[in-house]
Every structure is written in C-alpha cells, then in structure tokens.
Amino acid sequence: MPEIVDDKKTVPAEDLARFDVMLRSAGRIVAFTGAGLSTEAGIPDFRSPGGRWSRMKPILFQDFLDSDEARRETWRRRFDMDGEMRRARPTRGHRAIASWIKAGKSPAVITQNIDNLHQASGIPDDAVIEVHGNTTYAACLDCARRYEIEDLRGSFAATGEAPRCDGCGGFVKTATISFGQPMPEIAMQRATQLAKTSDLFVVVGSSLVVYPAADLPRLARKQGANVVIINREPTPGDRYAHLLLRGEIGDILGNFVLESGAKP
Ligand SMILES: [Zn+2]
C-alpha cells in the first residue's frame, strides 16, 4: 500500500504512474462514482458537512407516500436545486471515465449520482447503472409514466400542489431512490455483477458509506480485481484498495483520458 499523507494535496508521481499502468493493462475497468465527482460541476455534495442534507432533514419515502406536506416539501426542494442541475456540465473526471468506455476498456459505469452527468458526457444510457436513480426526470409511482421536470414546474408554481399522474392519479416523484425506498433491484444486480467481473475497479468521489453499494469494492477485490480509490477524504473502503489517490478528482483524472482504439 502506498504511503498516504493526509495534509499533502499533491498525489505522489509514483502513485499516478502506478494507476497509469493499471489502467492501460486492464481489460475490464469498472468505475463506481459518487458525489465527489460532481462537485466540480457545481452540484453540492448533499451529505457533506455543511451540505444541504446536514441542514435539512431528509424526507423519508414513507412520509412522501403518507403526507401531502411531505410531497410538497420534496418538490419545493427539487425546484430549489433546479438551477444547479440545469447549469451542471460534465467535468474532467466524467470525461476521463467516458473515454475508458469509448475506448472499449470499460463496459459501464456504476453511479450513486442522480445528476445525469455521465449520460451528458456521452456514455449511452444503458451503460450508466444508477443505484440511486435520476433526478433530471420524474415518474408516476404507480404506472411509471415519465414526466419532465420542466413540464411539472408551471403547475407547481401555480397551485403549490405536488404533481399527480394524468393517467392514473398516482403520485409523481423524481426518478430517484429516497431514504427508506427499496434499492432498484436490477441496477443493484448489474452493479454487483460488474464489480465481480471487473479486473480494475475504480471508486471515484464516493464516501463509501451508503450500503449496499459501499460493499462493491470489497466484492471486486475478493474476485481478484485491482481496486483504486480516488477521493479527497479517507473512506471506510480504503482497506480494500491496492492504491489510494487522494486529492482533487478533476486534477487526478484529467491525466487519464484514454484515446479511442487504445485497447492493448
Ligand atoms: Zn400513473
């Protein structure tokens, strides 16, 4: 394991060189991304100290189902962050990960982010495994009909009421997984399978505290993958890493854009 000095911002050159070798020699890279990847895009890490969720109590899924006021508050919060969501563009980190997929070295990316920035970086929808869903659109909880956020805004502003489905009257909610809502089964199965079959598993900007996704680095390592964790802060998963790169994610990953056709 490399020596990591917490107060040192620069990642040692030999660690970057080790990552370069791992990346180029890997046949099946799987990246697992979290909030730290998108902060450079202007999307706050809601869970971080001082982040939105440390100041506002999360709304539990059951409360959303049970209470008109909880549904209104959920939508108020969603529209409050809409400016940040719409302005956000993929970062250097997103572009590097997209290049691994485009180069044919990586089948898919697993993400805890709900901001759609992997898709915006050019990765096809079916190669983005979203374990916490997606907040850039909404769906009816009963019939799954899709709704665009933009189309819901007007009636919310006019009536102050949370949207209901035109088709079946069900509750309309952003396509995210709320606290207390079951994890999306198919996405979790695909994520687990990808972790187990990767030969290089790269955690990017996840604090690795939200289970079951936080267990993926352990699974990957157990199946023989090299595990690399890129994050500003230490994580509980660090003990499963062969290499820790601690610093600004964009600064680090900006060095690792693969050319298409770079397959060994
Ligand atoms: Zn419906």
Side-chain angles (χ1 to χ4, degrees):
M1 297 281 277
E3 189 190 347
I4 294 293
V5 183
D6 274 348
D7 57 3
K8 197 168 155 191
K9 289 228 167 85
T10 316
V11 179
E14 63 265 33
D15 288 348
L16 295 175
R18 275 183 74 195
F19 185 51
D20 193 55
V21 170
M22 285 181 182
L23 204 62
R24 287 176 192 284
S25 59
R28 198 171 156 86
I29 307 165
V30 172
F32 171 63
T33 68
L37 175 63
S38 289
T39 49
E40 191 174 287
I43 295 177
D45 178 354
F46 300 121
R47 286 190 173 82
S48 70
R52 204 166 262 148
W53 289 352
S54 68
R55 286 179 276 127
M56 281 193 297
K57 211 170 155 236
I59 297 165
L60 301 178
F61 184 58
Q62 195 60 47
D63 294 336
F64 183 92
L65 297 179
D66 291 346
S67 151
D68 263 334
E69 178 45 31
R71 287 191 289 278
R72 282 193 293 266
E73 177 61 14
T74 300
W75 278 101
R76 241 176 260 131
R77 291 181 186 185
R78 176 60 187 81
F79 289 122
D80 274 354
M81 67 171 183
D82 202 40
E84 287 154 358
M85 282 293 162
R86 282 186 299 133
R87 278 190 300 273
R89 297 290 176 269
T91 64
R92 294 173 290 173
H94 289 97
R95 289 195 293 272
I97 293 166
S99 79
W100 306 344
I101 290 177
K102 202 169 170 208
K105 302 262 288 180
S106 172
V109 57
I110 306 164
T111 188
Q112 296 175 301
N113 296 340
I114 57 176
D115 53 31
N116 208 55
L117 289 181
H118 284 300
Q119 291 91 331
S121 75
I123 301 177
D125 286 359
D126 63 359
V128 182
I129 316 303
E130 297 174 312
V131 294
H132 292 168
N134 188 312
T135 195
T136 64
Y137 62 96
C140 170
L141 288 177
D142 291 334
C143 74
R145 181 188 288 195
R146 176 174 166 139
Y147 289 87
E148 303 308 320
I149 302 295
E150 205 43 50
D151 299 337
L152 302 173
R153 181 205 304 276
S155 75
F156 184 75
T159 67
E161 290 302 320
R164 302 289 285 255
C165 179
D166 297 331
C168 76
F171 300 139
V172 174
K173 182 180 166 296
T174 57
T176 48
I177 307 301
S178 298
F179 287 94
Q181 191 170 359
M183 293 294 280
E185 222 170 281
I186 291 169
M188 276 312 298
Q189 280 169 9
R190 285 187 72 194
T192 304
Q193 196 57 28
L194 282 164
K196 286 180 168 176
T197 55
S198 65
D199 60 7
L200 176 58
F201 192 76
V202 187
V203 179
V204 180
S206 171
S207 53
L208 292 176
V209 291
V210 186
Y211 278 83
D215 198 35
L216 295 174
R218 185 188 64 82
L219 287 177
R221 176 155 189 155
K222 197 174 152 202
Q223 301 295 319
N226 276 322
V227 175
V228 178
I229 296 181
I230 305 172
N231 201 40
R232 281 181 60 100
E233 315 290 339
T235 82
D238 288 359
R239 63 182 177 282
Y240 301 113
H242 297 85
L243 178 64
L244 298 169
L245 301 177
R246 198 160 294 153
E248 294 299 328
I249 288 163
D251 291 348
I252 295 170
L253 280 183
N255 299 303
F256 297 105
V257 175
L258 295 178
E259 300 296 324
S260 287
K263 273 195 238 188

PDB file of all heavy atoms in Angstrom, residues 143-171:
ATOM      1  N   CYS A 143     -47.861   3.895 -12.187  1.00  0.00           N
ATOM      2  CA  CYS A 143     -47.859   3.342 -13.548  1.00  0.00           C
ATOM      3  C   CYS A 143     -46.545   3.608 -14.278  1.00  0.00           C
ATOM      4  O   CYS A 143     -46.392   3.205 -15.429  1.00  0.00           O
ATOM      5  CB  CYS A 143     -49.031   3.887 -14.357  1.00  0.00           C
ATOM      6  SG  CYS A 143     -48.831   5.601 -14.868  1.00  0.00           S
ATOM      7  N   ALA A 144     -45.595   4.321 -13.615  1.00  0.00           N
ATOM      8  CA  ALA A 144     -44.257   4.556 -14.174  1.00  0.00           C
ATOM      9  C   ALA A 144     -44.230   5.514 -15.369  1.00  0.00           C
ATOM     10  O   ALA A 144     -43.200   5.661 -16.011  1.00  0.00           O
ATOM     11  CB  ALA A 144     -43.562   3.243 -14.538  1.00  0.00           C
ATOM     12  N   ARG A 145     -45.357   6.158 -15.677  1.00  0.00           N
ATOM     13  CA  ARG A 145     -45.334   7.127 -16.779  1.00  0.00           C
ATOM     14  C   ARG A 145     -44.287   8.207 -16.475  1.00  0.00           C
ATOM     15  O   ARG A 145     -44.177   8.693 -15.358  1.00  0.00           O
ATOM     16  CB  ARG A 145     -46.709   7.771 -16.967  1.00  0.00           C
ATOM     17  CG  ARG A 145     -46.727   8.782 -18.121  1.00  0.00           C
ATOM     18  CD  ARG A 145     -48.016   9.558 -18.184  1.00  0.00           C
ATOM     19  NE  ARG A 145     -49.123   8.709 -18.668  1.00  0.00           N
ATOM     20  CZ  ARG A 145     -50.298   9.216 -19.086  1.00  0.00           C
ATOM     21  NH1 ARG A 145     -50.515  10.520 -19.074  1.00  0.00           N
ATOM     22  NH2 ARG A 145     -51.257   8.409 -19.497  1.00  0.00           N
ATOM     23  N   ARG A 146     -43.519   8.557 -17.520  1.00  0.00           N
ATOM     24  CA  ARG A 146     -42.437   9.518 -17.325  1.00  0.00           C
ATOM     25  C   ARG A 146     -42.943  10.959 -17.466  1.00  0.00           C
ATOM     26  O   ARG A 146     -43.779  11.248 -18.314  1.00  0.00           O
ATOM     27  CB  ARG A 146     -41.332   9.247 -18.359  1.00  0.00           C
ATOM     28  CG  ARG A 146     -40.191  10.254 -18.296  1.00  0.00           C
ATOM     29  CD  ARG A 146     -39.055   9.871 -19.235  1.00  0.00           C
ATOM     30  NE  ARG A 146     -38.157  11.017 -19.399  1.00  0.00           N
ATOM     31  CZ  ARG A 146     -36.836  10.917 -19.424  1.00  0.00           C
ATOM     32  NH1 ARG A 146     -36.255   9.745 -19.323  1.00  0.00           N
ATOM     33  NH2 ARG A 146     -36.090  12.000 -19.578  1.00  0.00           N
ATOM     34  N   TYR A 147     -42.404  11.835 -16.624  1.00  0.00           N
ATOM     35  CA  TYR A 147     -42.723  13.262 -16.686  1.00  0.00           C
ATOM     36  C   TYR A 147     -41.428  14.060 -16.707  1.00  0.00           C
ATOM     37  O   TYR A 147     -40.456  13.690 -16.030  1.00  0.00           O
ATOM     38  CB  TYR A 147     -43.555  13.687 -15.464  1.00  0.00           C
ATOM     39  CG  TYR A 147     -44.962  13.144 -15.506  1.00  0.00           C
ATOM     40  CD1 TYR A 147     -45.249  11.878 -14.999  1.00  0.00           C
ATOM     41  CD2 TYR A 147     -45.993  13.879 -16.083  1.00  0.00           C
ATOM     42  CE1 TYR A 147     -46.535  11.360 -15.057  1.00  0.00           C
ATOM     43  CE2 TYR A 147     -47.280  13.365 -16.143  1.00  0.00           C
ATOM     44  CZ  TYR A 147     -47.543  12.117 -15.635  1.00  0.00           C
ATOM     45  OH  TYR A 147     -48.815  11.602 -15.708  1.00  0.00           O
ATOM     46  N   GLU A 148     -41.410  15.164 -17.462  1.00  0.00           N
ATOM     47  CA  GLU A 148     -40.236  16.036 -17.486  1.00  0.00           C
ATOM     48  C   GLU A 148     -40.389  17.110 -16.406  1.00  0.00           C
ATOM     49  O   GLU A 148     -41.486  17.645 -16.209  1.00  0.00           O
ATOM     50  CB  GLU A 148     -40.073  16.686 -18.866  1.00  0.00           C
ATOM     51  CG  GLU A 148     -39.972  15.688 -20.022  1.00  0.00           C
ATOM     52  CD  GLU A 148     -38.915  14.599 -19.813  1.00  0.00           C
ATOM     53  OE1 GLU A 148     -37.812  14.904 -19.295  1.00  0.00           O
ATOM     54  OE2 GLU A 148     -39.195  13.430 -20.140  1.00  0.00           O
ATOM     55  N   ILE A 149     -39.280  17.389 -15.710  1.00  0.00           N
ATOM     56  CA  ILE A 149     -39.302  18.348 -14.607  1.00  0.00           C
ATOM     57  C   ILE A 149     -39.859  19.700 -15.078  1.00  0.00           C
ATOM     58  O   ILE A 149     -40.680  20.332 -14.404  1.00  0.00           O
ATOM     59  CB  ILE A 149     -37.878  18.552 -14.033  1.00  0.00           C
ATOM     60  CG1 ILE A 149     -37.284  17.211 -13.558  1.00  0.00           C
ATOM     61  CG2 ILE A 149     -37.877  19.600 -12.921  1.00  0.00           C
ATOM     62  CD1 ILE A 149     -37.985  16.557 -12.408  1.00  0.00           C
ATOM     63  N   GLU A 150     -39.414  20.108 -16.252  1.00  0.00           N
ATOM     64  CA  GLU A 150     -39.803  21.403 -16.801  1.00  0.00           C
ATOM     65  C   GLU A 150     -41.328  21.506 -16.932  1.00  0.00           C
ATOM     66  O   GLU A 150     -41.915  22.551 -16.673  1.00  0.00           O
ATOM     67  CB  GLU A 150     -39.123  21.561 -18.166  1.00  0.00           C
ATOM     68  CG  GLU A 150     -38.899  22.976 -18.605  1.00  0.00           C
ATOM     69  CD  GLU A 150     -38.391  23.883 -17.488  1.00  0.00           C
ATOM     70  OE1 GLU A 150     -37.412  23.491 -16.816  1.00  0.00           O
ATOM     71  OE2 GLU A 150     -38.974  24.962 -17.300  1.00  0.00           O
ATOM     72  N   ASP A 151     -41.945  20.393 -17.326  1.00  0.00           N
ATOM     73  CA  ASP A 151     -43.396  20.404 -17.535  1.00  0.00           C
ATOM     74  C   ASP A 151     -44.164  20.443 -16.211  1.00  0.00           C
ATOM     75  O   ASP A 151     -45.345  20.790 -16.185  1.00  0.00           O
ATOM     76  CB  ASP A 151     -43.835  19.158 -18.324  1.00  0.00           C
ATOM     77  CG  ASP A 151     -43.178  19.101 -19.697  1.00  0.00           C
ATOM     78  OD1 ASP A 151     -42.762  20.177 -20.192  1.00  0.00           O
ATOM     79  OD2 ASP A 151     -43.073  17.996 -20.259  1.00  0.00           O
ATOM     80  N   LEU A 152     -43.508  20.041 -15.119  1.00  0.00           N
ATOM     81  CA  LEU A 152     -44.203  19.996 -13.824  1.00  0.00           C
ATOM     82  C   LEU A 152     -44.104  21.333 -13.089  1.00  0.00           C
ATOM     83  O   LEU A 152     -44.889  21.627 -12.199  1.00  0.00           O
ATOM     84  CB  LEU A 152     -43.601  18.890 -12.940  1.00  0.00           C
ATOM     85  CG  LEU A 152     -43.641  17.470 -13.515  1.00  0.00           C
ATOM     86  CD1 LEU A 152     -42.851  16.511 -12.623  1.00  0.00           C
ATOM     87  CD2 LEU A 152     -45.088  16.986 -13.654  1.00  0.00           C
ATOM     88  N   ARG A 153     -43.112  22.122 -13.492  1.00  0.00           N
ATOM     89  CA  ARG A 153     -42.813  23.331 -12.740  1.00  0.00           C
ATOM     90  C   ARG A 153     -43.974  24.328 -12.743  1.00  0.00           C
ATOM     91  O   ARG A 153     -44.328  24.891 -11.704  1.00  0.00           O
ATOM     92  CB  ARG A 153     -41.571  24.004 -13.320  1.00  0.00           C
ATOM     93  CG  ARG A 153     -41.173  25.278 -12.587  1.00  0.00           C
ATOM     94  CD  ARG A 153     -40.381  26.179 -13.501  1.00  0.00           C
ATOM     95  NE  ARG A 153     -39.231  25.487 -14.027  1.00  0.00           N
ATOM     96  CZ  ARG A 153     -38.074  25.392 -13.350  1.00  0.00           C
ATOM     97  NH1 ARG A 153     -37.938  25.966 -12.199  1.00  0.00           N
ATOM     98  NH2 ARG A 153     -37.073  24.753 -13.873  1.00  0.00           N
ATOM     99  N   GLY A 154     -44.581  24.514 -13.919  1.00  0.00           N
ATOM    100  CA  GLY A 154     -45.629  25.515 -14.058  1.00  0.00           C
ATOM    101  C   GLY A 154     -46.801  25.261 -13.131  1.00  0.00           C
ATOM    102  O   GLY A 154     -47.235  26.160 -12.399  1.00  0.00           O
ATOM    103  N   SER A 155     -47.271  24.034 -13.110  1.00  0.00           N
ATOM    104  CA  SER A 155     -48.459  23.755 -12.300  1.00  0.00           C
ATOM    105  C   SER A 155     -48.116  23.789 -10.806  1.00  0.00           C
ATOM    106  O   SER A 155     -48.936  24.186  -9.983  1.00  0.00           O
ATOM    107  CB  SER A 155     -49.081  22.410 -12.687  1.00  0.00           C
ATOM    108  OG  SER A 155     -48.312  21.346 -12.179  1.00  0.00           O
ATOM    109  N   PHE A 156     -46.876  23.416 -10.468  1.00  0.00           N
ATOM    110  CA  PHE A 156     -46.483  23.502  -9.060  1.00  0.00           C
ATOM    111  C   PHE A 156     -46.447  24.964  -8.618  1.00  0.00           C
ATOM    112  O   PHE A 156     -46.943  25.319  -7.551  1.00  0.00           O
ATOM    113  CB  PHE A 156     -45.110  22.856  -8.825  1.00  0.00           C
ATOM    114  CG  PHE A 156     -44.694  22.816  -7.378  1.00  0.00           C
ATOM    115  CD1 PHE A 156     -45.262  21.899  -6.512  1.00  0.00           C
ATOM    116  CD2 PHE A 156     -43.748  23.710  -6.884  1.00  0.00           C
ATOM    117  CE1 PHE A 156     -44.887  21.861  -5.169  1.00  0.00           C
ATOM    118  CE2 PHE A 156     -43.371  23.676  -5.548  1.00  0.00           C
ATOM    119  CZ  PHE A 156     -43.942  22.749  -4.686  1.00  0.00           C
ATOM    120  N   ALA A 157     -45.887  25.827  -9.487  1.00  0.00           N
ATOM    121  CA  ALA A 157     -45.820  27.249  -9.163  1.00  0.00           C
ATOM    122  C   ALA A 157     -47.226  27.829  -9.043  1.00  0.00           C
ATOM    123  O   ALA A 157     -47.508  28.649  -8.170  1.00  0.00           O
ATOM    124  CB  ALA A 157     -45.012  27.990 -10.233  1.00  0.00           C
ATOM    125  N   ALA A 158     -48.121  27.373  -9.909  1.00  0.00           N
ATOM    126  CA  ALA A 158     -49.474  27.936  -9.930  1.00  0.00           C
ATOM    127  C   ALA A 158     -50.322  27.444  -8.758  1.00  0.00           C
ATOM    128  O   ALA A 158     -51.064  28.214  -8.145  1.00  0.00           O
ATOM    129  CB  ALA A 158     -50.147  27.594 -11.260  1.00  0.00           C
ATOM    130  N   THR A 159     -50.218  26.159  -8.449  1.00  0.00           N
ATOM    131  CA  THR A 159     -51.143  25.590  -7.452  1.00  0.00           C
ATOM    132  C   THR A 159     -50.475  25.307  -6.107  1.00  0.00           C
ATOM    133  O   THR A 159     -51.158  25.166  -5.093  1.00  0.00           O
ATOM    134  CB  THR A 159     -51.715  24.240  -7.942  1.00  0.00           C
ATOM    135  OG1 THR A 159     -50.631  23.289  -7.996  1.00  0.00           O
ATOM    136  CG2 THR A 159     -52.341  24.375  -9.323  1.00  0.00           C
ATOM    137  N   GLY A 160     -49.138  25.166  -6.109  1.00  0.00           N
ATOM    138  CA  GLY A 160     -48.443  24.794  -4.873  1.00  0.00           C
ATOM    139  C   GLY A 160     -48.666  23.344  -4.487  1.00  0.00           C
ATOM    140  O   GLY A 160     -48.251  22.905  -3.426  1.00  0.00           O
ATOM    141  N   GLU A 161     -49.337  22.601  -5.366  1.00  0.00           N
ATOM    142  CA  GLU A 161     -49.621  21.195  -5.065  1.00  0.00           C
ATOM    143  C   GLU A 161     -48.629  20.284  -5.772  1.00  0.00           C
ATOM    144  O   GLU A 161     -48.246  20.540  -6.911  1.00  0.00           O
ATOM    145  CB  GLU A 161     -51.046  20.832  -5.526  1.00  0.00           C
ATOM    146  CG  GLU A 161     -52.138  21.490  -4.689  1.00  0.00           C
ATOM    147  CD  GLU A 161     -52.037  21.143  -3.195  1.00  0.00           C
ATOM    148  OE1 GLU A 161     -51.739  19.975  -2.878  1.00  0.00           O
ATOM    149  OE2 GLU A 161     -52.246  22.048  -2.361  1.00  0.00           O
ATOM    150  N   ALA A 162     -48.240  19.208  -5.079  1.00  0.00           N
ATOM    151  CA  ALA A 162     -47.359  18.221  -5.695  1.00  0.00           C
ATOM    152  C   ALA A 162     -48.071  17.581  -6.875  1.00  0.00           C
ATOM    153  O   ALA A 162     -49.279  17.368  -6.827  1.00  0.00           O
ATOM    154  CB  ALA A 162     -46.961  17.163  -4.672  1.00  0.00           C
ATOM    155  N   PRO A 163     -47.332  17.299  -7.958  1.00  0.00           N
ATOM    156  CA  PRO A 163     -47.984  16.756  -9.159  1.00  0.00           C
ATOM    157  C   PRO A 163     -48.562  15.353  -8.971  1.00  0.00           C
ATOM    158  O   PRO A 163     -48.030  14.549  -8.213  1.00  0.00           O
ATOM    159  CB  PRO A 163     -46.844  16.734 -10.188  1.00  0.00           C
ATOM    160  CG  PRO A 163     -45.575  16.826  -9.418  1.00  0.00           C
ATOM    161  CD  PRO A 163     -45.887  17.517  -8.128  1.00  0.00           C
ATOM    162  N   ARG A 164     -49.677  15.096  -9.655  1.00  0.00           N
ATOM    163  CA  ARG A 164     -50.284  13.755  -9.710  1.00  0.00           C
ATOM    164  C   ARG A 164     -50.294  13.312 -11.168  1.00  0.00           C
ATOM    165  O   ARG A 164     -50.277  14.130 -12.079  1.00  0.00           O
ATOM    166  CB  ARG A 164     -51.730  13.802  -9.181  1.00  0.00           C
ATOM    167  CG  ARG A 164     -51.870  14.317  -7.752  1.00  0.00           C
ATOM    168  CD  ARG A 164     -51.340  13.326  -6.743  1.00  0.00           C
ATOM    169  NE  ARG A 164     -52.247  12.220  -6.553  1.00  0.00           N
ATOM    170  CZ  ARG A 164     -53.031  12.070  -5.463  1.00  0.00           C
ATOM    171  NH1 ARG A 164     -52.983  12.964  -4.476  1.00  0.00           N
ATOM    172  NH2 ARG A 164     -53.825  11.024  -5.340  1.00  0.00           N
ATOM    173  N   CYS A 165     -50.332  12.009 -11.349  1.00  0.00           N
ATOM    174  CA  CYS A 165     -50.286  11.431 -12.702  1.00  0.00           C
ATOM    175  C   CYS A 165     -51.576  11.725 -13.477  1.00  0.00           C
ATOM    176  O   CYS A 165     -52.670  11.486 -12.972  1.00  0.00           O
ATOM    177  CB  CYS A 165     -50.060   9.926 -12.589  1.00  0.00           C
ATOM    178  SG  CYS A 165     -50.019   9.064 -14.168  1.00  0.00           S
ATOM    179  N   ASP A 166     -51.426  12.216 -14.717  1.00  0.00           N
ATOM    180  CA  ASP A 166     -52.588  12.468 -15.576  1.00  0.00           C
ATOM    181  C   ASP A 166     -53.301  11.166 -15.913  1.00  0.00           C
ATOM    182  O   ASP A 166     -54.513  11.139 -16.109  1.00  0.00           O
ATOM    183  CB  ASP A 166     -52.148  13.102 -16.912  1.00  0.00           C
ATOM    184  CG  ASP A 166     -51.505  14.447 -16.696  1.00  0.00           C
ATOM    185  OD1 ASP A 166     -51.867  15.124 -15.703  1.00  0.00           O
ATOM    186  OD2 ASP A 166     -50.621  14.813 -17.505  1.00  0.00           O
ATOM    187  N   GLY A 167     -52.534  10.101 -16.007  1.00  0.00           N
ATOM    188  CA  GLY A 167     -53.108   8.826 -16.438  1.00  0.00           C
ATOM    189  C   GLY A 167     -53.859   8.125 -15.324  1.00  0.00           C
ATOM    190  O   GLY A 167     -55.004   7.707 -15.499  1.00  0.00           O
ATOM    191  N   CYS A 168     -53.220   7.992 -14.144  1.00  0.00           N
ATOM    192  CA  CYS A 168     -53.811   7.125 -13.115  1.00  0.00           C
ATOM    193  C   CYS A 168     -54.021   7.826 -11.773  1.00  0.00           C
ATOM    194  O   CYS A 168     -54.541   7.218 -10.835  1.00  0.00           O
ATOM    195  CB  CYS A 168     -52.937   5.875 -12.926  1.00  0.00           C
ATOM    196  SG  CYS A 168     -51.431   6.184 -11.987  1.00  0.00           S
ATOM    197  N   GLY A 169     -53.595   9.080 -11.668  1.00  0.00           N
ATOM    198  CA  GLY A 169     -53.796   9.808 -10.416  1.00  0.00           C
ATOM    199  C   GLY A 169     -52.747   9.505  -9.351  1.00  0.00           C
ATOM    200  O   GLY A 169     -52.802  10.032  -8.244  1.00  0.00           O
ATOM    201  N   GLY A 170     -51.775   8.651  -9.678  1.00  0.00           N
ATOM    202  CA  GLY A 170     -50.733   8.289  -8.706  1.00  0.00           C
ATOM    203  C   GLY A 170     -49.813   9.465  -8.396  1.00  0.00           C
ATOM    204  O   GLY A 170     -49.852  10.501  -9.058  1.00  0.00           O
ATOM    205  N   PHE A 171     -48.974   9.281  -7.372  1.00  0.00           N
ATOM    206  CA  PHE A 171     -48.022  10.331  -7.019  1.00  0.00           C
ATOM    207  C   PHE A 171     -46.876  10.339  -8.020  1.00  0.00           C
ATOM    208  O   PHE A 171     -46.336   9.298  -8.372  1.00  0.00           O
ATOM    209  CB  PHE A 171     -47.442  10.091  -5.618  1.00  0.00           C
ATOM    210  CG  PHE A 171     -48.479  10.078  -4.528  1.00  0.00           C
ATOM    211  CD1 PHE A 171     -48.409   9.140  -3.501  1.00  0.00           C
ATOM    212  CD2 PHE A 171     -49.508  11.007  -4.514  1.00  0.00           C
ATOM    213  CE1 PHE A 171     -49.360   9.120  -2.495  1.00  0.00           C
ATOM    214  CE2 PHE A 171     -50.468  11.000  -3.506  1.00  0.00           C
ATOM    215  CZ  PHE A 171     -50.394  10.047  -2.492  1.00  0.00           C
TER     216      PHE A 171
END
